[in-house]
Amino acid sequence: MFGLLKNLLFRKKQKPLTERDLNGRNHVGYPTMQLSDEIDKLIEPQFKSIKPVIKMYKETLFFKWGPSVINDKLSDEQLAKLSGRNLQMVYLLLFRDMLRHIAEIVELKNEPANWPDIFAQEVLDNCQMLGDADDMDIAKKQALFASEQRYCIDIPIDDKHPENTEIPDWAVPLAELIMLPADMIYKCHRPLLVAITARKKRR
């Protein structure tokens, strides 16, 4: 299930980890697992009705596409410089957007209308995502987290001619935080949201 992350975190000690492996574990694996664990803690008591949808999104983005894209696209030097807090923020912003989309088509009992934002704020606080004194990107992340913008996923992806896909502006600052091309962020997020919203509308 965890794919690349599982290999990094739970590899047997027969082979010594390379520097890239260590950076992948420390800057991708551990931050991702912390974020995932904090989300799981909130899901169980409060959001059981949408747990399957959350699980699908989280496991695909956090444990498959995200790490795979990072591993393919980042050089050794970039991976060494990658901030685990920045990675968590990008994941959380995408996750919150998914919840915002769900909130438009699914009404949760006993939850306020802005429950996706409350959920994301709890996760942010529990992970202490903005608490590192030497974090150079705090102001940028604070501004991104404060945004009420819902990420547009209306632009279709042209798989046969990727260069023809127009990448929305919202993907750019997220991609910059983790040194990825902006199209990779959009091409990870959109297909999952299309699948989720299509499934929820059929219910």
Side-chain angles (χ1 to χ4, degrees):
M1 177 178 68
F2 299 128
L4 177 64
L5 288 185
K6 185 177 180 181
N7 289 335
L8 290 174
L9 293 171
F10 306 115
R11 181 182 295 178
K12 294 180 180 179
K13 295 182 178 180
Q14 295 175 346
K15 291 184 179 179
L17 294 177
T18 66
E19 183 177 359
R20 184 177 180 86
D21 290 336
L22 289 170
N23 287 328
R25 183 182 67 184
N26 295 333
H27 302 166
V28 180
Y30 288 150
T32 300
M33 292 302 297
Q34 181 194 21
L35 179 62
S36 178
D37 289 345
E38 292 300 336
I39 288 172
D40 287 344
K41 290 175 186 176
L42 292 179
I43 290 172
E44 287 302 329
Q46 299 181 42
F47 301 99
K48 287 187 177 181
S49 63
I50 58 170
K51 184 176 178 180
V53 173
I54 290 176
K55 182 178 179 181
M56 169 189 163
Y57 184 88
K58 182 169 67 73
E59 290 187 355
T60 304
L61 182 66
F62 291 13
F63 300 118
K64 293 179 183 177
W65 287 2
S68 177
V69 169
I70 289 170
N71 191 58
D72 289 344
K73 296 295 181 181
L74 294 190
S75 66
D76 290 351
E77 183 179 359
Q78 287 175 318
L79 186 59
K81 293 179 179 178
L82 178 64
S83 163
R85 294 303 192 197
N86 285 6
L87 179 73
Q88 286 181 331
M89 179 60 74
V90 170
Y91 279 162
L92 182 60
L93 291 171
L94 295 174
F95 184 81
R96 181 181 67 179
D97 186 65
M98 180 270 294
L99 296 181
R100 286 174 171 175
H101 278 269
I102 289 177
E104 291 191 345
I105 54 179
V106 176
E107 183 177 346
L108 296 184
K109 295 180 179 179
N110 305 318
E111 294 294 340
N114 66 334
W115 63 265
D117 301 281
I118 296 172
F119 189 108
Q121 184 67 57
E122 287 193 53
V123 174
L124 179 90
D125 294 341
N126 292 344
C127 287
Q128 298 182 338
M129 242 176 254
L130 300 174
D132 295 338
D134 59 347
D135 191 337
M136 304 299 291
D137 296 312
I138 283 184
K140 182 185 294 186
K141 287 183 284 191
Q142 285 174 330
L144 288 170
F145 192 78
S147 174
E148 297 181 359
Q149 174 191 17
R150 198 188 69 175
Y151 299 155
C152 171
I153 59 166
D154 296 337
I155 302 170
I157 295 172
D158 187 343
D159 291 322
K160 292 184 179 179
H161 305 283
E163 69 279 3
N164 293 336
T165 300
E166 183 180 351
I167 306 304
D169 291 342
W170 61 259
V172 175
L174 274 66
E176 289 175 349
L177 280 178
I178 53 176
M179 298 174 285
L180 285 178
D183 67 309
M184 294 291 98
I185 297 292
Y186 188 59
K187 289 173 182 177
C188 285
H189 190 54
R190 183 182 188 275
L192 280 171
L193 279 196
V194 169
I196 286 171
T197 53
R199 176 184 296 185
K200 300 303 291 187
K201 287 177 180 177
R202 290 197 299 266
R203 293 182 61 178

